[in-house]
Amino acid sequence: MIVGGDALALRVCAELAAAACGRVVVLWHHDDDLRARVEHLGATFEARRGDERESLLAAGVRDATAIVALTEDDRTNLHFVLTARDENPKIRVVLRQFNRALGRKIEENLKNSSVASLSSHVAATYAAAAADPDCFYGVQFPDIDGPLAGFSRLSAARADVAGCRFDEAQDRLDARVLAVSGDFAPDGARPLAADDELIVFARVRVRARGRVRPWRMRVRFEPRRILRGFDRVVRNVLIASVLCVIAGSLAFAGLLHLDPLTAAYFVITTMTTTGYGDISPLGAGTPGKLAAMALMLAGLIFSGIFIALLSSGFTQARYDAVQGLRRITHGGHIIVCGAGNVGSRVIEFLTKLGCPIVALEQAPRPEIVEGSRDGRFELLTGDAARDTTLALCNVEEAIGLIALTNGDTQNLEVALGARARNPDLHIVMRVQQEAFAQSVRSHFELKFTYGTAALMAPVLAGLAFSKGMRGRVEFAGCAFDIVEMTPVVDAAAPDGPGSIPLAVWRNGAFVLLRRFEDAACGELVLFLLPLAQVPAARASEEGAA
């Protein structure tokens, strides 16, 4: 039973229906279009009734084996699954929760349950792809507390292991090489060719394609460029005041028989109304008196204008500082556009990796502001889709950008605007709909575009059967489920045909695992399970339970 009606719920419905696991029921508000789409997937749609209990009973909760609550409201999800457990104590519970701390406590205290955080799961892939341009899927192992690991696709030449043998390449890369040019069991004695494509699993490290141009101060004296940088009013007032000083100095040099420096001194003291203690225009006759009066009035006008402009400039600077609008001058950073639920988790992953971060958010939450004040990352507040705001982020010197705003078209606008400023910029983009993601990848060549539903749906569908499902990856023409499991005493290792060990969590450390036999009892193991073996594996696990 699935509670929800958005793209994620439909994608989970498609996953469960394709697995032929039995009858699938989608419970949500009445919607003819949603009903048609659910029935097209081979599932049953049930319209939501007055309250949770009535709706669940009408949908057949007492006969259901699992309930997956996927609404965007944590409280609604919790109410549905607890009500379902009241009516069916044996039902397996899977719920979506943003609050990871609460989710962990629910799992610890509610038997036969799993809690998944969409923002945390998808953020791992966005962060991994941004930090390492060769990485196409990221996973945190162990969940919540562990480091960020990822699957990467790169050539042997780029990995600098051309000419190395298989085991030698793994040692040199400190990684698990899962496949070489589509071969899952490569000849260990054959040296790797430069054009061999490697599929690698390892901890994510920050890598940048191309040469990173560090920021350097450039000092050039170009009067025309400096003048063009001023506001038009400021420029005109400055030019007029300088001309007034020059003209007055020339005039009084002749009227009072002064040298040029003394004449300039007299003019400035007159314009600022601080003079006539040493030099007086009374002996210059009528022309001198008229010129002095004109200088006094001009000085009063120019002083007033300059004071007003300075006050306005300081006020604007103060406003910009409060709003977080300032120009970023350093380079080698990653720009995160959007610091909501997903963006905040991406920032957390990247800061742990040591990446310089510039976060751009129009309405930052208090925890984001606090993180910026603590110096963990730079924060700018503004609309990322505006070119003027994006220009402040020093896109030209950045090594990557992640578009994570709430709108798909806005993310596309951000990505295209950044590419216009830096064609070589590595861009990672989030979209809600997988169909739109495929269109963006093909038409705009934004290869690192991920749909949130596509990333999360396999996890939720797998959790409906048992714990441990962490994601799904495809490479070398095969699809694998990423599974996390704790071996128990005398239990057989999960080494069915085609399963691949990845890593083990040993004494608080991430350790790569090459053979299942190397994992000790009670250690947490991460491995790949071929998709065709998943139903059989789940059946054996349920039988053992």
Side-chain angles (χ1 to χ4, degrees):
M1 183 178 296
I2 301 171
V3 180
D6 58 3
L8 178 61
L10 286 172
R11 187 63 184 259
V12 173
C13 177
E15 290 278 346
L16 293 174
C21 60
R23 179 168 170 256
V24 180
V25 178
V26 175
L27 174 62
W28 197 235
H29 300 291
H30 177 74
D31 187 324
D32 291 334
D33 179 63
L34 179 61
R35 178 188 294 273
R37 297 175 70 180
V38 169
E39 292 176 351
H40 177 73
L41 295 173
T44 303
F45 179 80
E46 183 69 32
R48 186 173 174 179
R49 306 293 179 88
D51 58 19
E52 287 88 352
R53 187 178 304 277
E54 184 181 353
S55 300
L56 290 169
L57 289 175
V61 67
R62 290 175 178 170
D63 298 325
T65 57
I67 180 171
V68 185
L70 301 179
T71 75
E72 295 184 354
D73 182 62
D74 286 3
R75 181 174 176 272
T76 300
N77 291 334
L78 192 55
H79 278 200
F80 264 104
V81 299
L82 292 181
T83 304
R85 183 59 65 85
D86 289 338
E87 298 297 328
N88 183 353
K90 295 183 179 180
I91 194 171
R92 173 159 176 77
V93 166
V94 180
L95 72 157
R96 168 184 174 181
Q97 289 276 298
F98 169 72
N99 189 330
R100 304 173 78 210
L102 176 61
R104 171 180 284 186
K105 293 175 182 178
I106 292 174
E107 281 188 332
E108 292 173 349
N109 293 275
L110 190 64
K111 294 182 179 180
N112 196 21
S113 68
S114 292
V115 180
S117 170
L118 184 146
S119 59
S120 177
H121 179 81
V122 301
T125 294
Y126 294 130
D132 183 358
D134 296 314
C135 185
F136 60 90
Y137 195 92
V139 60
Q140 187 182 21
F141 175 70
D143 190 19
I144 299 180
D145 299 324
L148 184 61
F151 297 84
S152 301
R153 181 182 288 109
L154 69 168
S155 66
R158 176 164 171 76
D160 196 23
V161 292
C164 298
R165 291 179 174 82
F166 184 76
D167 289 339
E168 186 180 345
Q170 292 195 113
D171 294 336
R172 186 167 182 173
L173 293 173
D174 190 21
R176 285 280 287 117
V177 179
L178 306 177
V180 177
S181 297
D183 187 1
F184 292 100
D187 183 4
R190 178 183 72 86
L192 298 176
D195 59 348
D196 276 337
E197 183 186 74
L198 309 181
I199 302 298
V200 174
F201 175 80
R203 291 186 63 168
V204 173
R205 300 177 181 88
V206 182
R207 296 186 178 94
R209 283 181 177 167
R211 183 173 62 90
V212 178
R213 298 169 293 174
W215 176 82
R216 294 179 299 176
M217 182 179 292
R218 302 172 178 88
V219 180
R220 296 179 181 177
F221 182 70
E222 299 180 5
R224 291 183 180 180
R225 179 173 294 183
I226 293 174
L227 288 176
R228 284 198 301 268
F230 280 102
D231 181 81
R232 182 177 179 182
V233 175
V234 179
R235 184 174 66 248
N236 292 339
V237 171
L238 180 62
I239 293 173
S241 61
V242 172
L243 292 177
C244 186
V245 171
I246 294 173
S249 299
L250 293 175
F252 280 100
L255 291 172
L256 297 177
H257 307 288
L258 303 172
D259 62 88
L261 181 59
T262 305
Y265 165 77
F266 172 77
V267 169
I268 292 175
T269 57
T270 299
M271 292 182 68
T272 57
T273 66
T274 58
Y276 301 165
D278 45 7
I279 303 176
S280 174
L282 293 178
T286 301
K289 295 176 182 178
L290 292 175
M293 292 168 58
L295 287 176
M296 294 177 192
L297 293 175
L300 183 63
I301 294 171
F302 291 145
S303 298
I305 293 174
F306 277 122
I307 291 173
L309 292 174
L310 287 174
S311 299
S312 175
F314 282 124
T315 302
Q316 184 65 40
R318 176 60 180 168
Y319 175 79
D320 291 346
V322 172
Q323 293 297 311
L325 293 173
R326 62 193 179 281
R327 186 171 297 278
I328 300 300
T329 55
H330 59 74
H333 56 286
I334 295 177
I335 304 170
V336 181
C337 299
N341 294 342
V342 176
S344 60
R345 292 289 297 132
V346 169
I347 292 171
E348 183 180 336
F349 279 127
L350 292 177
T351 51
K352 288 182 179 179
L353 291 173
C355 295
I357 304 297
V358 174
L360 186 56
E361 171 61 40
Q362 195 163 10
R365 297 181 301 184
E367 57 267 27
I368 296 297
V369 175
E370 182 179 353
S372 175
R373 289 174 178 171
D374 291 342
R376 296 198 296 268
F377 53 87
E378 299 274 3
L379 174 63
L380 277 69
T381 57
D383 185 0
R386 297 181 60 185
D387 290 338
T388 53
T389 306
L390 201 59
L392 298 175
C393 299
N394 194 13
V395 178
E396 294 80 3
E397 305 290 342
I399 63 172
L401 179 142
I402 316 176
L404 297 174
T405 69
N406 291 327
D408 291 354
T409 55
Q410 187 177 11
N411 285 334
L412 180 60
E413 186 176 1
V414 170
L416 296 180
R419 176 186 280 179
R421 292 180 174 273
N422 185 353
D424 298 327
L425 185 66
H426 177 59
I427 298 175
V428 180
M429 178 178 160
R430 163 185 137 175
V431 297
Q432 302 294 338
Q433 300 287 345
E434 179 59 23
F436 184 65
Q438 293 177 357
S439 299
V440 170
R441 284 192 288 264
S442 60
H443 293 291
F444 297 102
E445 297 183 356
L446 294 170
K447 298 180 180 179
F448 292 88
T449 299
Y450 298 93
T452 52
L455 290 173
M456 195 65 189
V459 177
L460 294 167
L463 291 176
F465 296 97
S466 62
K467 293 184 177 181
M469 179 66 172
R470 297 299 311 279
R472 181 174 297 163
V473 291
E474 296 183 16
F475 57 87
C478 299
F480 295 87
D481 278 351
I482 307 170
V483 182
E484 182 178 288
M485 187 187 74
T486 303
V488 295
V489 179
D490 298 331
D495 55 353
S499 60
I500 304 174
L502 296 175
V504 62
W505 187 249
R506 178 173 296 157
N507 298 324
F510 178 94
V511 180
L512 294 171
L513 186 66
R514 299 185 182 181
R515 301 182 309 166
F516 285 112
E517 294 80 3
D518 295 335
C521 295
E523 291 182 334
L524 195 61
V525 175
L526 189 72
F527 63 97
L528 295 179
L529 190 64
L531 196 57
Q533 298 182 26
V534 172
R538 286 169 181 157
S540 63
E541 181 179 338
E542 291 172 359

